[in-house]
Amino acid sequence: MSAVPLSSFHGAAAMCLLLFFLLAPSTTIAASSLSSVAKKFNGSCITAEKEALLSFKAGITSDPSGRLRSWRGQDCCRWHGVRCSTRTGHIVKLDLHNDFFKEDVSSEDQEDLLSSENHVVRWLRGKISSSLLQLRRLKHLDLSGNMLGGDMAPIPEFMGSLKSLTHLNLSNMKFFGRVPPQLGNLTRLVYLDIHTDYFHFFAYSPDVSWLENLHSLEHLDMGYVNLSAAVNWIHSVNTLPNLRVLHLSFCGLSSSIPSLQHHNLTVLERLDLSLNPFNTPVAPNWYWDVTSLKSLSIGACELSGPFPDELGNLTMLETLEMGNKNINGMIPSTLKNMCNLRMIDLIGVNVGGDITDLIERLPNCSWNTLQELLLEETNITGTTLKSLLNLTALSILGIGYNDLRGSVPVEIGTLKNLTKLYVASSSLSGVISEDHFSSLTNLKEIYLSQTYLQVIVGSHWEPPFNLHKAYFSSVHLGPQVPNWLRWQSSISELDISDTGLTGRIPNWFWTTFSNARHLDLSYNQISGGLPHNLEFMSVKALQLQSNNLTGSVPRLPRSIVTFDLSNNSLSGELPSNFGGPNLRVAVLFSNRITGIIPDSICQWPQLQILDLSNNLLTRGLPDCGREKLKQHYASINNSSRINSAIPYGFKIHTLLLKNNNLSGGFPVFLKQGKKLKFLDLTQNRFSGKLPAWISENMPTLVILRLRSNNFSGQIPIETMQLFSLHILDLANNTFSGVIPQSLKNLKALTTTVVGSDGIDYPFTEEYQFDDIVYDTDMLNDDSFSLVIKGQVLDYTGNALLVTSIDLSCNRLAGSIPKEIASLLGLVNLNLSWNFLSGNIPDMIGNLQALEALDLSNNQLYGEIPWCLSNLTSLSYMNVSYNNLSGRIPSGNQLDILRADDPASIYIGNPGLCGHPLPKLCPGDEPTQDCSSCHEDDNTQMDFHLGLTVGFIVGVWIIFCSLLFKKAWRYTYFSLFDKVYDKVWKK
């Protein structure tokens, strides 16, 4: 190594000394600054920022989960959700999210949170204080899942001034109104999430050009934000070169373009455009050129046409979801290079063809990696499922709701990774044995419902799996409750309805499934009684309808949300508190239950459906007055601020109590029924007058049935203020007075447009209680019976199509109001068996929808309006036993009514005349039956013809005899001469 000159060394040393002295002042200043900050920080947060947080806390009106409980003391850096910089002491993160909405919460935990409505209970309520602007170094702000927008408030504009933010999450906060374009000022943003999980457009943004300023953005989620007016949204998004995740699900987007001229989305990995009404062909489209995509979701976008060949260009794709009912045809053969596929969801696509062909078109290189395959409702066919055995990595398989036939191969047990198996609603048949399950140790969910399968295993078989959800409806499991279920204590949802079960429910069943959320054993032949007390269970939905159960109704768990014990032989009285505070559906019709309706009904503020029809209940409903409700709410709520906002009412919308022995006046309980839509009190012993508050306290009534009771007095005019009423049945009571004149106020009956007011019928609507969707058509087989067309007909799902007014069998007097002609949507009108007088209104012919009209057994007089012949939908009419007179009208439907006995429509009216009555009207000529006339003419013609022929033949016989017999001729003329002489002499 060469020597370094000493002069050079001294020069270098001098230079180092010079640099040290030059930098010393700035170093000293920096050290001094850090020392100052450290002195100011002093192990605690900065005072001004602490005050800002306390000001924010002051805007919070409710913190039921206690997230701000720790916000006290000097060191705000130790407060819940607050993080400070360890170097400067400034607050850099504020995270007060609601745990329920976090993706890292397991699905089972989310179910539990939702089932107890913790997503609401955990809400922070109040407003977001602008004091957050004092947190100038704040980088991460997460307030998601709370209710901090106030009442119908938008995202605060001042959020756009937090310019240090790199992470902003305001999702699921129900903000309302325009998304502030000031968010475009947050140029450092890497993560922006303002989506909501609710199916409503709470927020909107008519223009998203403000996104073009966010060049650092990597994650953007605006799902369920109304962007229908943002026509250039694609071009704005295309200016974000760092974007990796884009979620724009259910945004009302209707525009798309085939391609982008300058494609900047080169690192985009996840794209979700599902639930947007694009209504365009699936190809060409700009996203087929984004070859960096790993996840693509374009389901329910109203896309149409065949699968595009360009799909094969997305060689990086791992998950594909493109379920659209108008996409049709087999998947293309261009997928051979898509070796990274992990999930394919084609639910609802009209694929068609054989399942074997479909599996063979999947890239062979993905057979060992494909984990989820969802092909439900894809119109695929096939008689063998053996091609599925090639997909050795499958964990989720959905092939239900297709026309698949044949048996399930035993080899399915080789799919050791299988966790979820969906084959419901198919034509699969045969036996499922122990061998099918031998290696399925990871199986968690199985759906075999609505198939022709039989599960036959040994009575001592212990399954290798531990199920969480099991659906076997209509699958043969019987005759006893399968003993292998005893080992499935982790099941949260179990459906063994209509599976041929008989005998009693074993005692182990209730303890094994004590933590289950949904149990369905309906439509079997199960007998015996239920345990007296089920309060130890956690079940939320219990369905045991249509069995042969006896004994009494048990005390149900406090967790119960819905239960159906209808169509059994349960007896005895209802327990005083057989339901919990979250009870929403209670269906007990068609049993032998006695006693009274307990006061505990006042403790069910969430109750929506109560059906106790066809039992032996007595007395009436508890009044549940406002004071009693107030005391109940006060006992279950600790916060006075919450109590002050409680409306003290019920959510009940369906109350069915027909065919009992209930008595007393019109239930005062119904004063709390602001949301009541369907009320049926028929066939009881209720009495007294209808209250005037009926329209004020039950303004949404759709069906009001009080038939066969002892109600009396006048029909309140307020009844005509029930604008949504479709069915009014007050028949077979003792109502008197006149029919209210203001019938035109029954707005739902004045239109022929079905469902114009958005009414949901209780027996067809699906209600989502917690995270389970309960179809009330399954929960409730009860029906409404209407006296229509002279007979009792039962209606369930189509009852709202039969708009009806039935006031028959009362003591109503006066005339039929002319306003009845305004009820253009009326299908059935029955005013029979009253004391009505006057004329039948002429304008009744306007009721074109009318199918049944019964005005019989009254005191009506005058002529029957000829305009009744205009009622082309009429199939039943009865005006018998009145004082009607004049000619009976004819034409159209009137000529074919009661073809077997048309006169019965008009009998009992001595003044009526004309067909079909035998009485002629003045001026009418007697008419003969045409067939009789033709018969007489033919007889007379035959007689005269025979007479003529006989005369001619007789004459010719005589003439011929005289002509050819000389002796006869002499004898004849000799006799003729003698006769002549005798006559002449006389």
Side-chain angles (χ1 to χ4, degrees):
M1 183 175 64
S2 60
V4 179
L6 186 62
S7 60
S8 298
F9 175 78
H10 287 296
M15 182 63 70
C16 289
L17 287 172
L18 179 61
L19 288 174
F20 173 79
F21 285 112
L22 287 174
L23 293 176
S26 59
T27 306
T28 304
I29 293 172
S32 174
S33 177
L34 285 174
S35 175
S36 175
V37 170
K39 184 177 181 180
K40 184 178 180 181
F41 177 36
N42 196 25
S44 182
C45 63
I46 297 172
T47 303
E49 295 185 351
K50 183 185 72 173
E51 295 299 326
L53 289 181
L54 292 176
S55 180
F56 171 83
K57 180 182 179 182
I60 305 301
T61 58
S62 175
D63 177 21
S65 59
R67 268 172 286 172
L68 304 183
R69 191 177 300 136
S70 65
W71 283 31
R72 60 184 59 155
Q74 295 300 315
D75 191 0
C76 64
C77 295
R78 296 180 180 273
W79 293 355
H80 173 81
V82 179
R83 181 183 298 174
C84 298
S85 169
T86 57
R87 185 175 63 88
T88 66
H90 285 287
I91 295 175
V92 294
K93 183 176 182 179
L94 179 59
D95 187 353
L96 296 173
H97 69 267
N98 186 340
D99 285 336
F100 168 75
F101 292 101
K102 280 299 180 182
E103 294 180 357
D104 55 355
V105 178
S106 68
S107 59
E108 291 296 326
D109 289 340
Q110 282 192 359
E111 290 171 358
D112 291 336
L113 287 170
L114 184 56
S115 64
S116 59
E117 294 191 345
N118 276 349
H119 66 296
V120 175
V121 173
R122 291 169 178 245
W123 270 344
L124 288 176
R125 290 178 176 268
K127 294 184 178 181
I128 303 175
S129 172
S130 60
S131 63
L132 292 181
L133 293 176
Q134 301 300 318
L135 308 180
R136 302 184 185 279
R137 304 292 178 89
L138 188 66
K139 295 182 178 181
H140 186 121
L141 178 60
D142 189 345
L143 302 176
S144 59
N146 293 298
M147 193 64 172
L148 298 178
D151 186 14
M152 308 288 283
I155 297 174
E157 293 182 1
F158 67 77
M159 286 288 179
S161 298
L162 296 170
K163 295 186 178 181
S164 295
L165 282 180
T166 61
H167 184 291
L168 178 60
N169 191 343
L170 302 176
S171 62
N172 287 310
M173 296 185 67
K174 285 192 175 181
F175 283 116
F176 188 90
R178 182 172 182 174
V179 176
Q182 288 84 352
L183 294 181
N185 297 331
L186 306 178
T187 55
R188 297 183 181 181
L189 271 185
V190 175
Y191 184 104
L192 176 60
D193 188 349
I194 57 174
H195 88 277
T196 178
D197 288 333
Y198 302 96
F199 279 88
H200 300 284
F201 283 146
F202 288 111
Y204 70 93
S205 184
D207 178 19
V208 293
S209 59
W210 51 271
L211 287 172
E212 299 174 10
N213 298 326
L214 309 181
H215 297 294
S216 300
L217 203 60
E218 297 180 6
H219 182 114
L220 174 61
D221 191 343
M222 296 179 66
Y224 295 70
V225 175
N226 188 352
L227 303 179
S228 58
V231 293
N232 293 320
W233 65 273
I234 299 176
H235 298 287
S236 297
V237 169
N238 192 42
T239 63
L240 306 176
N242 297 306
L243 199 61
R244 296 181 179 274
V245 177
L246 177 61
H247 289 289
L248 296 177
S249 177
F250 199 76
C251 290
L253 300 171
S254 58
S255 61
S256 184
I257 61 174
S259 62
L260 291 167
Q261 292 182 353
H262 302 288
H263 176 40
N264 294 326
L265 301 174
T266 57
V267 295
L268 187 63
E269 297 180 354
R270 295 173 57 189
L271 176 62
D272 185 353
L273 298 176
S274 60
L275 297 167
N276 283 294
F278 290 129
N279 195 23
T280 59
V282 68
N285 252 310
W286 63 271
Y287 38 77
W288 300 124
D289 298 326
V290 186
T291 56
S292 58
L293 281 178
K294 295 183 178 180
S295 174
L296 175 62
S297 180
I298 51 173
C301 287
E302 302 180 25
L303 299 172
S304 59
F307 285 93
D309 289 337
E310 293 85 352
L311 177 60
N313 296 336
L314 307 182
T315 56
M316 302 293 291
L317 208 61
E318 297 178 0
T319 65
L320 172 64
E321 190 275 301
M322 55 185 303
N324 287 269
K325 63 181 180 180
N326 292 324
I327 295 178
N328 53 73
M330 186 60 68
I331 59 176
S333 56
T334 59
L335 310 184
K336 59 182 178 179
N337 293 324
M338 299 176 65
C339 299
N340 298 309
L341 282 175
R342 300 289 186 272
M343 189 274 279
I344 298 178
D345 181 351
L346 302 179
I347 294 176
V349 175
N350 187 20
V351 175
D354 193 274
I355 188 172
T356 301
D357 184 22
L358 188 151
I359 300 302
E360 290 178 351
R361 285 175 176 252
L362 296 177
N364 294 354
C365 56
S366 69
W367 283 4
N368 295 330
T369 60
L370 190 63
Q371 299 173 4
E372 300 181 29
L373 180 62
L374 301 176
L375 301 174
E376 294 167 294
E377 297 184 80
T378 52
N379 198 28
I380 54 176
T381 58
T383 57
T384 177
L385 303 180
K386 289 191 175 181
S387 58
L388 294 169
L389 304 178
N390 295 324
L391 310 178
T392 56
L394 272 184
S395 63
I396 300 177
L397 174 62
I399 54 174
Y401 297 90
N402 287 297
D403 191 21
L404 298 172
R405 299 177 181 272
S407 59
V408 178
V410 175
E411 293 84 359
I412 199 169
T414 62
L415 302 178
K416 298 180 179 180
N417 297 316
L418 204 62
T419 60
K420 299 179 182 180
L421 176 62
Y422 304 91
V423 298
S425 295
S426 64
S427 298
L428 293 172
S429 58
V431 174
I432 301 289
S433 66
E434 300 173 13
D435 295 334
H436 287 79
F437 300 119
S438 58
S439 299
L440 300 183
T441 57
N442 296 308
L443 194 64
K444 300 299 180 186
E445 298 182 13
I446 184 169
Y447 292 73
L448 304 182
S449 297
Q450 309 306 317
T451 61
Y452 301 99
L453 296 167
Q454 302 180 57
V455 178
I456 300 178
V457 295
S459 59
H460 300 291
W461 177 61
E462 294 186 23
F465 47 71
N466 194 1
L467 294 176
H468 292 170
K469 297 180 182 180
Y471 284 78
F472 296 101
S473 179
S474 83
V475 173
H476 180 75
L477 296 179
Q480 304 295 323
V481 175
N483 195 58
W484 63 267
L485 289 175
R486 189 170 191 171
W487 312 106
Q488 303 300 302
S489 58
S490 296
I491 281 184
S492 63
E493 298 176 21
L494 174 65
D495 184 351
I496 51 176
S497 62
D498 191 22
T499 52
L501 301 179
T502 61
R504 300 177 66 92
I505 301 175
N507 292 332
W508 59 257
F509 183 89
W510 306 108
T511 53
T512 298
F513 301 117
S514 61
N515 294 318
R517 300 167 46 254
H518 181 195
L519 297 174
D520 188 350
L521 291 81
S522 58
Y523 300 98
N524 285 292
Q525 298 297 319
I526 299 172
S527 58
L530 298 172
H532 178 68
N533 192 340
L534 294 176
E535 289 181 303
F536 63 92
M537 300 185 71
S538 301
V539 66
K540 296 174 177 62
L542 179 62
Q543 295 175 242
L544 294 166
Q545 69 267 30
S546 299
N547 279 287
N548 298 321
L549 295 170
T550 56
S552 58
V553 177
R555 294 167 64 96
L556 296 171
R558 287 185 57 80
S559 59
I560 197 73
V561 173
T562 176
F563 71 92
D564 190 341
L565 304 179
S566 62
N567 277 320
N568 280 286
S569 298
L570 298 170
S571 58
E573 298 185 359
L574 293 173
S576 59
N577 54 346
F578 68 97
N582 296 317
L583 185 64
R584 301 190 185 184
V585 175
V587 181
L588 288 157
F589 70 84
S590 296
N591 280 284
R592 301 171 186 172
I593 300 171
T594 58
I596 64 173
I597 299 174
D599 288 346
S600 57
I601 190 175
C602 302
Q603 300 173 12
W604 303 336
Q606 305 297 325
L607 187 67
Q608 296 185 24
I609 298 175
L610 177 62
D611 191 347
L612 298 172
S613 302
N614 301 319
N615 279 289
L616 303 171
L617 296 167
T618 57
R619 290 171 56 180
L621 287 135
D623 60 19
C624 296
R626 181 182 176 89
E627 289 302 317
K628 185 178 294 186
L629 286 175
K630 188 174 181 180
Q631 293 172 8
H632 172 65
Y633 277 107
S635 66
I636 61 175
N637 292 283
N638 296 323
S639 173
S640 60
R641 282 180 291 185
I642 295 178
N643 281 335
S644 63
I646 288 177
Y648 304 113
F650 290 98
K651 295 181 179 179
I652 188 167
H653 60 69
T654 301
L655 179 61
L656 309 178
L657 300 174
K658 73 175 184 181
N659 194 23
N660 278 283
N661 293 316
L662 298 170
S663 59
F666 191 81
V668 180
F669 165 81
L670 299 175
K671 271 193 172 184
Q672 314 297 333
K674 285 283 187 180
K675 296 185 178 181
L676 195 65
K677 292 183 179 180
F678 309 97
L679 176 62
D680 190 351
L681 303 180
T682 60
Q683 294 175 270
N684 280 288
R685 298 178 182 177
F686 290 109
S687 59
K689 298 180 179 180
L690 289 188
W693 49 258
I694 194 169
S695 61
E696 180 181 354
N697 291 70
M698 296 183 289
T700 61
L701 268 182
V702 176
I703 295 179
L704 175 60
R705 301 194 66 241
L706 307 179
R707 186 185 192 88
S708 299
N709 279 284
N710 298 318
F711 289 114
S712 59
Q714 296 188 353
I715 299 175
I717 192 172
E718 289 80 5
T719 306
M720 301 300 118
Q721 301 296 324
L722 297 170
F723 304 128
S724 300
L725 201 64
H726 278 62
I727 295 177
L728 175 63
D729 189 349
L730 306 181
N732 199 18
N733 282 281
T734 57
F735 288 111
S736 57
V738 299
I739 299 174
Q741 301 292 314
S742 51
L743 290 169
K744 61 183 179 181
N745 290 331
L746 299 174
K747 298 297 184 183
L749 299 179
T750 61
T751 176
T752 57
V753 180
V754 178
S756 60
D757 48 5
I759 294 169
D760 300 317
Y761 191 65
F763 301 143
T764 57
E765 181 178 357
E766 286 186 344
Y767 290 96
Q768 183 163 349
F769 300 143
D770 313 329
D771 63 317
I772 305 175
V773 176
Y774 302 110
D775 186 351
T776 53
D777 186 41
M778 298 173 62
L779 283 169
N780 199 328
D781 291 332
D782 205 354
S783 61
F784 290 111
S785 58
L786 298 176
V787 177
I788 182 172
K789 302 181 182 181
Q791 55 187 324
V792 179
L793 300 178
D794 289 335
Y795 294 88
T796 53
N798 58 347
L800 288 186
L801 302 179
V802 189
T803 49
S804 172
I805 293 180
D806 191 344
L807 306 179
S808 61
C809 300
N810 279 289
R811 300 176 183 176
L812 299 173
S815 60
I816 300 175
K818 295 181 180 179
E819 289 79 4
I820 206 164
S822 64
L823 305 182
L824 301 180
L826 199 61
V827 172
N828 175 53
L829 177 61
N830 191 345
L831 304 178
S832 62
W833 292 96
N834 279 289
F835 299 96
L836 300 174
S837 58
N839 297 72
I840 299 175
D842 290 335
M843 299 300 290
I844 202 170
N846 293 342
L847 306 182
Q848 291 295 309
L850 201 63
E851 297 180 11
L853 175 63
D854 194 342
L855 304 177
S856 62
N857 293 279
N858 279 287
Q859 299 172 6
L860 301 171
Y861 54 79
E863 296 185 352
I864 300 176
W866 279 83
C867 61
L868 287 179
S869 62
N870 297 333
L871 302 179
T872 54
S873 298
L874 198 65
S875 59
Y876 177 87
M877 186 175 78
N878 192 351
V879 294
S880 62
Y881 298 101
N882 280 285
N883 295 319
L884 300 171
S885 59
R887 184 184 298 276
I888 295 174
S890 60
N892 295 325
Q893 298 296 107
L894 295 182
D895 293 339
I896 60 175
L897 296 176
R898 290 294 301 271
D900 57 332
D901 186 13
S904 64
I905 299 174
Y906 307 102
I907 61 173
N909 292 280
L912 287 178
C913 60
H915 181 77
L917 296 178
K919 182 179 179 180
L920 299 180
C921 293
D924 288 349
E925 295 293 335
T927 57
Q928 292 180 316
D929 186 87
C930 294
S931 60
S932 300
C933 294
H934 292 310
E935 184 179 351
D936 291 344
D937 290 344
N938 292 335
T939 303
Q940 292 178 11
M941 183 178 294
D942 292 342
F943 172 75
H944 290 298
L945 180 61
L947 183 63
T948 302
V949 172
F951 176 76
I952 294 173
V953 171
V955 169
W956 272 103
I957 292 174
I958 295 173
F959 177 77
C960 291
S961 299
L962 295 178
L963 181 63
F964 296 105
K965 290 288 185 179
K966 185 177 181 180
W968 288 12
R969 186 165 64 248
Y970 286 154
T971 303
Y972 171 76
F973 284 111
S974 174
L975 179 61
F976 181 78
D977 288 340
K978 290 180 179 180
V979 172
Y980 176 78
D981 290 340
K982 277 187 178 183
V983 173
W984 179 254
K985 288 180 180 181
K986 289 183 178 179

